[in-house]
Amino acid sequence: MPAQTSSLNGSAFDTFRETYIEINLDHIAHNLHSIRAMCGPQTKIGAVIKADAYGHGALELADTLTENGADLLCVATLSEALALKHQNPAYPVLIMGLTRTQDFDFLIQYDIIQTIDTLSQARELNACALRSQKTARIHLKIDTGFHRIGFPANEKSLEEIAQIAALPGLQIDGIFTHLVLLDDASNAQQFAAFLQMKTRLAQNHITIPCWHIADSIASVDYPEYRMDMIRAGAILYGLKGFHKGSLDIRQALQFKTRINHISTVKAGEGVSYDFTWRAAHDTRIATLPFGYADGYPRSLNGKGMVTIHQKRVPIAGIICMDQCMVDLTDVPEAQLGDEVTIYGDGSDNSLTIQEISQLAGTNKNDIVSRLTRRPPRIYTRGQKPVMVRTMLD
Ligand SMILES: *Cc1c(COP(=O)(O)O)cnc(C)c1O
């Protein structure tokens, strides 16, 4: 029996399933051009594509990003960096987290830029580089108050950085810190501590070419924090978390499925595990083939809604691992096979990622980065599918 295909599938783009994630590559390119227009030609753009590009697909977005002005691809882990380098050894990749010293040879072999936050790590990496007769590229991380990773912003660290700068196997490409984003005063305090490090390093005749502090929110809200590079994550994908500035960006991701079963539940009967939902009257119930194992928050039990025929329809009962049920009372015209937007960009009355994150009591990045590999991704340009990623890829 041939697989039923979604509206976006041609035979070359089969998803083997009704549930899919649509990623608009034109929107990603548009967002990058807006970010470039915002920060000007002098400031580099580090495109943050950790966590599989926040669920959008890091390998699938990498070329769109580098072709539209991203200067660096930023990830969190060595495995994320290696996956990119296996696709194209020429991608410029920065690991913003720490890497185990026993894995340092990979950094050198694949020319991956590594974040360093202790003198001992720097010495280990230097030794690996010299053994291979190569130079390892690094960014130094400074802790200006977040208390995650980084050299403390103090005199002892300045001495250690001077020692690192003298190591022959290392090249210091950049130096960065990360904002807590509590309020203007705390941001200003962190920025001042970072600038103080810059002044003190200059007094010690140590110049580092790329200074960076701003993530998405800071780069829009605080133009003076853009420095030599911004690290843009959320805004690449069209997710707006900023408050003061403005930036013309478009959400790239939509999550869709189709009704694949309809039943009538009699008044008083329940739906799904534990019967947390019971029919107040005879009710048409649609079953949708997506669940929490696709990355939809199970915490939306009793709160989640999807959009069918431009109407918002409540989820009925507990969300299962692979399926969930919705109450069709307000959409009598709904039929088997009808399209459902699980969440979208707000068009056709769809719930946005912003709304879903509020309902789930979390942030937008958490909603998209939790999307698993199981739902196929369909990538579009000019409204047409150009690439598909399924579990088989
Ligand atoms: C994830 C991350 C970013 C990007 O954050 P957004 O808020 O998505 O822009 C920037 N810098 C570091 C160090 C990060 O870990």
Side-chain angles (χ1 to χ4, degrees), residues 48 50 54 76 96 141 148 176-178 181 213-217 231-235 237 365:
V48 179
K50 61 189 178 187
Y54 297 32
M96 301 183 296
K141 182 78 184 272
R148 188 165 62 179
F176 69 112
T177 190
H178 197 61
L181 295 174
I213 184 169
D215 64 357
S216 289
I217 292 174
R231 302 186 303 272
I235 50 177
Y237 313 107
N365 290 356

Side-chain angles (χ1 to χ4, degrees), residues 2-10 13-21 255-260 288-296 320-324 339 342 371-378 388-392:
Q4 279 209 340
T5 54
S6 77
S7 58
L8 277 171
N9 298 1
F13 297 107
D14 204 345
T15 56
F16 307 102
R17 196 180 164 199
E18 295 294 16
T19 300
Y20 65 94
I21 292 165
F255 193 13
K256 295 184 177 172
T257 190
R258 284 177 187 279
I259 297 174
N260 73 347
L288 309 177
F290 77 94
Y292 63 81
D294 295 302
Y296 189 80
C320 306
M321 188 181 275
D322 320 301
Q323 305 178 74
C324 69
E339 189 173 77
I342 303 166
L371 288 164
T372 64
R373 273 198 78 83
R374 191 171 72 178
R377 269 65 164 177
I378 302 182
V388 162
R389 181 180 95 185
T390 70
M391 292 287 287
L392 305 178

Side-chain angles (χ1 to χ4, degrees), residues 93-142:
V93 177
L94 167 68
I95 300 178
M96 301 183 296
L98 301 177
T99 293
R100 307 185 306 182
T101 51
Q102 71 249 46
D103 295 327
F104 276 2
D105 281 327
F106 289 110
L107 301 172
I108 296 176
Q109 188 184 343
Y110 289 94
D111 192 23
I112 295 165
I113 309 166
Q114 175 60 46
T115 294
I116 292 289
D117 80 343
T118 63
L119 178 57
S120 70
Q121 289 163 18
R123 286 183 173 141
E124 290 267 0
L125 186 59
N126 177 62
C128 285
L130 294 180
R131 249 184 275 123
S132 312
Q133 296 180 310
K134 287 191 177 167
T135 306
R137 296 162 65 192
I138 62 170
H139 281 219
L140 299 170
K141 182 78 184 272
I142 306 297

Side-chain angles (χ1 to χ4, degrees), residues 54 217 239 241 297 353-354 356-370:
Y54 297 32
I217 292 174
L239 303 174
I353 291 168
Q354 165 70 18
I356 287 283
S357 67
Q358 271 166 353
L359 283 176
T362 184
N363 68 13
K364 297 180 281 292
N365 290 356
D366 180 29
I367 293 299
V368 286
S369 66
R370 70 167 63 207

